[in-house]
Amino acid sequence: VLPGVRTEVVSNGIDVERFADLRHVAHEGPTVLTVGAVKPRKGVLELIQAFDTARRTRPNARCVIVGSLSDTAYADLLQAEIACRGLVDCVILTGRVSDDELMRWYRTADIFALPAMNDGARFEGFGLVYLEASAVGLPVIGTRDCGAEQAIIDGQTGWLIPQHGVVEALADALIRLLESPETRGQMGARGRAFAAEQTWERAAQAFIG
């Protein structure tokens, strides 16, 4: 810290227009989506475990995990967890996808969840993916003590849950959203409005100003 120097954090922006025309396409059951490289720091294992608990209230729910599977050891662990829990028919690991396919998954999703887990000095930075999900109109679930706190308005556009006891907290949050289309709609609408303000023009003006 330099004496007499005022500092200000200018958050990244998102390409709002990229998501502006996306409209939800109904699926036979609610879909929980996560997007990002499939690795421990993204909390994918914890998401699968929480989803297993949550789907007992909505057996027709599915969980779609979009992202690179280059960490093959972790991917194998996830596949084993999915098989062990009997989730083969409702948890999908897509691997890396094209932008068009990513947009299709966003359109069929009902909830976005990425329970990022701090790993020593490594942690989730600015929560760009949460803002992108909000721009689509999805309620978003992320964890505290990382970049998700800058991208989620807790209780408004989604929920921030603790990293300690994350599986139980995430399961509870998923159940609340799976059981309430009204809450999903309200949070999604607030998220879309919030994301619409997080443009690159806004970021540039803040930087210049």
Side-chain angles (χ1 to χ4, degrees):
V1 178
L2 298 177
V5 176
R6 182 177 64 87
T7 61
E8 181 179 349
V9 176
V10 178
S11 299
N12 289 332
I14 63 170
D15 182 2
V16 176
E17 295 302 317
R18 180 185 178 208
F19 305 96
D21 295 329
L22 288 182
R23 293 295 178 265
H24 185 259
V25 175
H27 182 260
E28 62 184 22
T31 298
V32 178
L33 175 69
T34 193
V35 177
V38 177
K39 53 187 176 182
R41 187 166 56 77
K42 300 293 183 178
V44 184
L45 177 61
E46 290 78 5
L47 173 60
I48 292 170
Q49 293 167 342
F51 175 76
D52 185 27
T53 297
R55 73 180 290 272
R56 296 170 195 170
T57 66
R58 291 295 300 272
N60 63 340
R62 66 175 179 173
C63 180
V64 178
I65 300 163
V66 177
S68 169
L69 301 173
S70 59
D71 186 338
T72 55
Y74 189 60
D76 288 345
L77 173 66
L78 298 180
Q79 294 282 16
E81 187 77 7
I82 291 167
C84 179
R85 291 175 176 269
L87 301 174
V88 173
D89 293 334
C90 58
V91 175
I92 303 168
L93 287 167
T94 70
R96 189 186 298 274
V97 301
S98 67
D99 191 64
D100 286 344
E101 187 174 353
L102 174 61
M103 293 300 111
R104 285 194 293 271
W105 284 121
Y106 269 128
R107 291 177 66 195
T108 60
D110 299 275
I111 300 166
F112 184 90
L114 196 160
M117 304 296 293
N118 296 348
D119 181 14
R122 292 178 294 180
F123 58 91
E124 188 74 6
F126 179 69
L128 184 63
V129 70
Y130 302 105
L131 278 180
E132 291 180 342
S134 286
V136 180
L138 300 179
V140 291
I141 305 171
T143 44
R144 297 189 180 278
D145 302 318
C146 68
E149 292 186 333
Q150 281 72 55
I152 299 173
I153 304 175
D154 188 37
Q156 296 295 314
T157 66
W159 283 307
L160 290 165
I161 59 175
Q163 293 188 30
H164 178 72
V166 68
V167 173
E168 294 78 8
L170 179 55
D172 287 346
L174 289 174
I175 289 169
R176 291 169 68 186
L177 288 173
L178 287 171
E179 292 186 334
S180 178
E182 181 179 3
T183 301
R184 295 201 303 266
Q186 291 171 348
M187 286 187 162
R190 292 171 187 147
R192 192 186 285 272
F194 174 60
E197 299 173 353
Q198 312 307 310
T199 64
W200 281 111
E201 180 180 2
R202 185 272 316 159
Q205 289 298 325
F207 183 80
I208 293 170

